[in-house]
Amino acid sequence: MLPEALPEISDTDLEQFFQILLTQYGYDFRGYAPASLKRRLGTVLRRYGLADMQTLNQRLLSQSDYFERFINEITVSTTELFRDPSSWAALRAQAMPPLLSLSQLRIWHAGCSTGEEVLSMAILLHEMGLYSRSQIFATDIDGYSLEQAQKATYPLRYKALYEQNLQAALPGVSLSSYAKEVGGQLVFSPSLLSNVRFLRHNLVMDAAFGQFELVLCRNVLIYFTPSLQDRVVTKLVDSLVTGGVLMIGTKESLFWCTAAKRLLPINDGERLYRKRQ
Ligand SMILES: C[S@@+](CC[C@H](N)C(=O)[O-])C[C@H]1O[C@@H](n2cnc3c(N)ncnc32)[C@H](O)[C@@H]1O
């Protein structure tokens, strides 16, 4: 059987949607890549049995308590522990060494989703003996994902994949040193989050909020138009100290970003860059 087609969304409907989010909620989605945004809006319409985009727009106008759930539904929260393991191995081997002698390591995960990337970093820092010197800020636009992230608890079905990614990223390190099965779930040690602060932050609307030795913004830029990627990457690079490291997703690029000239590649294939003098 063919999957049911998603409802059509016109540019006029989309324009009205942008205006409602901007004026009623202060969220600007105009810089999100339209094709994938329309696809996700179509999925929301189908899930709720809404006839068309006008009905969704009406709902957003009249039911402000629906907005939080909507943000969760419209964003893509896909993530993994040690996602793209070779990037983590390169981060450790090639990007971290100059940071080892620092007395503090401030790290920002921009778009941390449900927290697996933050736990990966915490495990890496533990393994390198750096965790106690580290202060980690983990932010996302989506409050539901942030709530999940703070629980550090995941369905057991991910265990094999997480074990495999961890082995590929940090050979010899066992997942059982950091997580255990409790009540049919995979629960990470709370000590991994003791130096982590989770905060709501919108990369499009909110100002940068500190200076960091390491900024990770992975698999977030891919949902933005080139001009929004340019603006957001400028914000990320402004947030790095000289010599600080930027890590983006392996399927992302700095091609559109003027701030790229303020970076030197550490490993271009793994999307690791250092802020130049
Ligand atoms: C695909 S997940 C990536 C998670 C993780 N960084 C990784 O690579 O596995 C994208 C995340 O970006 C967040 N996001 C989307 N737009 C955002 C924005 N404007 N500001 C902050 N986070 C945003 C989403 O809520 C989602 O959690």
Side-chain angles (χ1 to χ4, degrees):
M1 201 168 66
L2 284 173
E4 207 185 313
L6 291 174
E8 278 289 311
I9 294 170
S10 72
D11 290 342
T12 318
D13 291 339
L14 203 57
E15 204 45 53
Q16 197 194 8
F17 164 78
F18 289 146
Q19 284 312 316
I20 293 169
L21 287 198
L22 199 55
T23 52
Q24 183 145 332
Y25 299 101
Y27 278 68
D28 189 353
F29 273 82
R30 289 173 298 184
Y32 282 66
S36 68
L37 185 60
K38 280 185 178 178
R39 217 168 26 247
R40 278 171 287 137
L41 282 167
T43 309
V44 171
L45 293 182
R46 196 159 63 182
R47 182 172 306 142
Y48 287 95
L50 302 177
D52 51 30
M53 196 57 204
Q54 284 152 28
T55 319
L56 177 64
N57 283 341
Q58 203 47 50
R59 185 170 187 169
L60 285 165
L61 267 177
S62 60
Q63 297 179 23
S64 50
D65 54 345
Y66 169 60
F67 181 68
E68 284 297 316
R69 168 58 60 194
F70 175 74
I71 287 294
N72 178 253
E73 284 168 342
I74 204 67
T75 49
V76 177
S77 58
T78 313
T79 186
E80 284 170 21
L81 194 79
F82 289 101
R83 181 179 194 175
D84 299 318
S86 60
S87 300
W88 290 93
L91 176 71
R92 179 186 191 162
Q94 297 175 272
M96 300 289 278
L99 307 179
L100 293 178
S101 56
L102 300 177
S103 58
Q104 66 165 352
L105 211 46
R106 292 160 299 179
I107 300 168
W108 178 20
H109 292 265
C112 66
S113 187
T114 44
E116 288 90 328
E117 183 185 279
V118 183
L119 291 167
S120 311
M121 179 59 75
I123 292 172
L124 177 74
L125 293 167
H126 266 287
E127 292 297 322
M128 297 183 79
L130 293 172
Y131 190 80
S132 60
R133 278 186 261 162
S134 304
Q135 225 186 339
I136 302 170
F137 294 86
T139 64
D140 204 281
I141 193 177
D142 175 12
Y144 277 83
S145 284
L146 287 171
E147 263 176 40
Q148 280 305 115
Q150 288 170 78
K151 293 181 190 148
T153 298
Y154 304 94
L156 213 46
R157 65 177 179 277
Y158 297 134
K159 187 178 172 192
L161 173 68
Y162 289 1
E163 194 115 52
Q164 187 186 314
N165 284 356
L166 173 59
Q167 276 308 306
L170 303 176
V173 179
S174 160
L175 188 61
S176 61
S177 309
Y178 293 104
K180 54 181 190 257
E181 290 181 33
V182 182
Q185 294 195 293
L186 186 63
V187 181
F188 284 79
S189 162
S191 66
L192 288 173
L193 297 187
S194 61
N195 291 358
V196 180
R197 280 187 65 193
F198 289 99
L199 303 165
R200 187 96 179 243
H201 180 273
N202 182 345
L203 279 164
V204 181
M205 312 291 284
D206 298 334
F209 59 93
Q211 286 285 287
F212 302 92
E213 280 71 36
L214 190 46
V215 172
L216 292 89
C217 184
R218 306 175 70 217
N219 307 296
V220 182
L221 299 170
I222 203 165
Y223 300 106
F224 298 161
T225 58
S227 76
L228 182 57
Q229 290 182 23
D230 182 28
R231 271 172 48 212
V232 169
V233 169
T234 296
K235 211 175 273 190
L236 300 175
V237 176
D238 286 346
S239 306
L240 278 173
V241 298
T242 300
V245 173
L246 175 67
M247 184 178 193
I248 63 172
T250 52
K251 293 179 193 69
E252 295 168 326
S253 143
L254 298 177
F255 183 79
W256 309 101
C257 304
T258 45
K261 60 179 181 294
R262 296 156 64 199
L263 300 168
L264 289 169
I266 298 170
N267 182 331
D268 202 28
E270 300 293 358
R271 304 293 190 264
L272 286 163
Y273 305 91
R274 197 178 301 284
K275 186 169 176 179
R276 49 164 96 220
Q277 297 287 334

